[in-house]
Amino acid sequence: MIANKKLQLIDLEPDELITAITNQVTANVTALLKEKINPAKHNEIMTRKEVSELLQKDYSTLFRWKNKGVLIPTCIDGSIYYYRSDIDALLEKNKGI
């Protein structure tokens, strides 16, 4: 991910240094974003237990959120599941709270 490269500063113009730093930061941020925003993981479905553990909320809270429209589960063959994208959106919406 983040490469340890040596940068020689002898005879390096300030603009060249800025460009080198900018390029390295851009590459690192891009790599981190690709790692963080994984489309396969984004469409993942999670069990009620997984969501409860992830959010550190009990089932009654998830039930209340369903009734209030905060986090709507999907029922598949009698089991309750949540889309990871819905959980991520909820976390992003409440990030500053």
Side-chain angles (χ1 to χ4, degrees):
M1 180 169 68
I2 298 175
N4 292 325
K5 296 181 181 179
K6 292 183 180 181
L7 181 63
Q8 189 173 5
L9 297 177
I10 299 172
D11 294 328
L12 190 64
E13 296 292 323
D15 290 342
E16 294 172 320
L17 178 61
I18 291 170
T19 300
I21 291 171
T22 302
N23 290 342
Q24 189 61 50
V25 168
T26 301
N28 290 346
V29 168
T30 301
L32 288 171
L33 286 174
K34 283 181 182 177
E35 204 174 279
K36 190 96 168 144
I37 304 172
N38 183 347
K41 189 174 184 180
H42 196 65
N43 293 325
E44 170 187 4
I45 59 170
M46 299 177 70
T47 65
R48 186 171 34 179
K49 180 180 180 186
E50 291 170 331
V51 174
S52 176
E53 290 171 359
L54 175 70
L55 300 177
Q56 298 178 353
K57 302 294 180 188
D58 55 55
Y59 293 168
S60 63
T61 301
L62 297 178
F63 181 76
R64 232 180 5 264
W65 287 357
K66 178 190 85 138
N67 290 339
K68 289 182 177 182
V70 174
L71 185 61
I72 306 297
T74 299
C75 188
I76 301 172
D77 201 24
S79 297
I80 296 174
Y81 296 97
Y82 295 84
Y83 286 103
R84 178 64 190 234
S85 58
D86 292 342
I87 295 161
D88 291 342
L90 176 66
L91 292 172
E92 187 64 32
K93 180 181 174 186
N94 293 294
K95 197 175 201 176
I97 295 176

